[in-house]
Amino acid sequence: MRRGSMRWAGKADHVGGLPRALVFLAVGAFAKVVATLSNSSSVHNPETLIRLVRSRPPGRPLITVSNHMSTLDDPLMWGFKGFPTADAKLARWVLAAEDICFKNVILSYIFRLGKCIPITRGGGIYQAHMNEALEVLSGGGWLHTFPEGKVSQESAPIRRLKWGTASLIVRAPVTPLVLPIVHCGFEKVMPEKYFFGRRPPVPLWNKDIKIVIGEPIEFDLQRLKQTAKTVSRDSSIHSLGWPSTTDGLDEAAQKWLYIYISDQIRTILERLRIFGATFKRFKV
């Protein structure tokens, strides 16, 4: 059995839900301490995230997307004042790198309890675990992704996004709300090269953290799919062997859609990054 396949540990009713609840209590407390006590956090537009997590329309899935500045972005980005960080029922599911978070049985069990879905980097958008993410969205759940694909601690524009998030938006039975988030400061709390070229053994303190939460994006997929089908008839591409979708999108149409949606999200994330850089502090 692959370590990342321990799906039973991620079930809400595993041992009555007690292990999951304990993990979120512990991790939630850790996030609150690091984000609000050890360091100074300011958040722009927190009420939008809290509202969508607590009371979005029944059955409407939510995908939050953000830049990736450190290995502690999740859970620290949920540790700001007023957010229900320790509530396991409201907590996000998140795509997590299999080679980092699922290296052994113990880590696999803990991260599964923490509602993490293992993703093999370079495994493609049709790898098996992407179906788990689709199941979360099919149930109206909340999924967080880091579409840049890896940590980057440079102060630079948002990088080109991987297509995995866009594919989930397109393939979900109900079109998800997409909420963009940009943050900075976590790269100072957990720098990649600090202690003999390695990460520090514990998070650093007395750092300023800024989190900029945008407004939800609603993609008109019906219109976009019609455009993609028209474009695909006029294109010649190198095939990757993708299956057609249930609504008849061939590989060329899918690629056009994924590129378009990824570019739209990246543009909005970059605007938020620039907006956040112009202010030193936000009101929490």
Side-chain angles (χ1 to χ4, degrees):
M1 180 181 69
R2 293 176 62 194
R3 291 187 292 271
S5 67
M6 299 171 66
R7 292 194 64 181
W8 50 269
K11 299 292 185 181
D13 59 356
H14 172 58
V15 194
L18 181 60
R20 175 186 284 185
L22 291 175
V23 164
F24 276 96
L25 281 173
V27 174
F30 168 77
K32 293 286 187 186
V33 168
V34 174
T36 63
L37 296 180
S38 301
N39 296 283
S40 178
S41 294
S42 57
V43 188
H44 171 76
N45 195 27
E47 60 276 3
T48 294
L49 174 61
I50 294 172
R51 172 176 56 83
L52 291 176
V53 168
R54 287 190 178 277
S55 58
R56 64 186 175 277
R60 188 71 186 270
L62 172 66
I63 296 180
T64 50
V65 295
S66 74
N67 57 328
H68 204 0
M69 298 294 285
S70 81
T71 54
L72 286 182
D73 290 352
D74 184 292
L76 296 188
M77 62 187 297
W78 319 118
F80 63 85
K81 183 179 178 181
F83 191 81
T85 312
D87 191 325
K89 291 182 179 179
L90 292 178
R92 89 293 169 266
W93 289 84
V94 63
L95 302 184
E98 189 172 39
D99 60 319
I100 295 176
C101 301
F102 296 83
K103 291 190 292 187
N104 55 56
V105 172
I106 294 175
L107 284 177
S108 296
Y109 182 66
I110 293 172
F111 278 99
R112 278 294 194 178
L113 291 176
K115 298 172 76 170
C116 298
I117 299 172
I119 291 295
T120 302
R121 288 187 283 195
I125 63 175
Y126 280 103
Q127 59 181 283
H129 288 305
M130 289 292 277
N131 292 328
E132 290 186 50
L134 280 173
E135 289 177 19
V136 169
L137 299 176
S138 298
W142 169 26
L143 178 73
H144 183 73
T145 73
F146 296 101
E148 290 179 295
K150 62 181 180 180
V151 169
S152 176
Q153 300 197 324
E154 298 177 1
S155 179
I158 302 296
R159 292 166 295 166
R160 185 183 69 84
L161 306 187
K162 306 295 185 182
W163 294 349
T165 299
S167 76
L168 292 172
I169 294 169
V170 171
R171 295 162 61 196
V174 176
T175 303
L177 291 169
V178 179
L179 186 66
I181 303 172
V182 169
H183 52 77
C184 65
F186 295 129
E187 75 281 7
K188 298 176 183 177
V189 175
M190 183 54 66
E192 287 290 292
K193 296 180 179 180
Y194 175 79
F195 189 73
F196 293 103
R198 302 173 65 87
R199 303 183 193 106
V202 296
L204 304 183
W205 52 91
N206 291 331
K207 308 299 181 182
D208 288 327
I209 298 166
K210 290 193 294 186
I211 302 172
V212 184
I213 299 169
E215 295 297 329
I217 308 166
E218 297 192 55
F219 288 101
D220 184 353
L221 284 186
Q222 184 174 1
R223 177 182 63 82
L224 291 176
K225 287 178 180 179
Q226 289 302 318
T227 303
K229 289 177 181 178
T230 301
V231 171
S232 73
R233 288 195 291 267
D234 302 324
S235 65
S236 177
I237 64 167
H238 173 69
S239 176
L240 297 175
W242 292 353
S244 295
T245 62
T246 55
D247 48 5
L249 292 174
D250 61 17
E251 186 171 323
Q254 290 178 64
K255 284 186 176 180
W256 184 90
L257 264 178
Y258 301 160
I259 292 171
Y260 178 87
I261 291 173
S262 296
D263 285 348
Q264 292 296 303
I265 294 173
R266 180 184 177 275
T267 297
I268 294 171
L269 287 172
E270 179 60 15
R271 288 174 184 166
L272 293 178
R273 187 190 72 85
I274 294 171
F275 171 77
T278 62
F279 295 93
K280 291 186 177 180
R281 296 288 298 171
F282 297 115
K283 182 178 179 180
V284 179

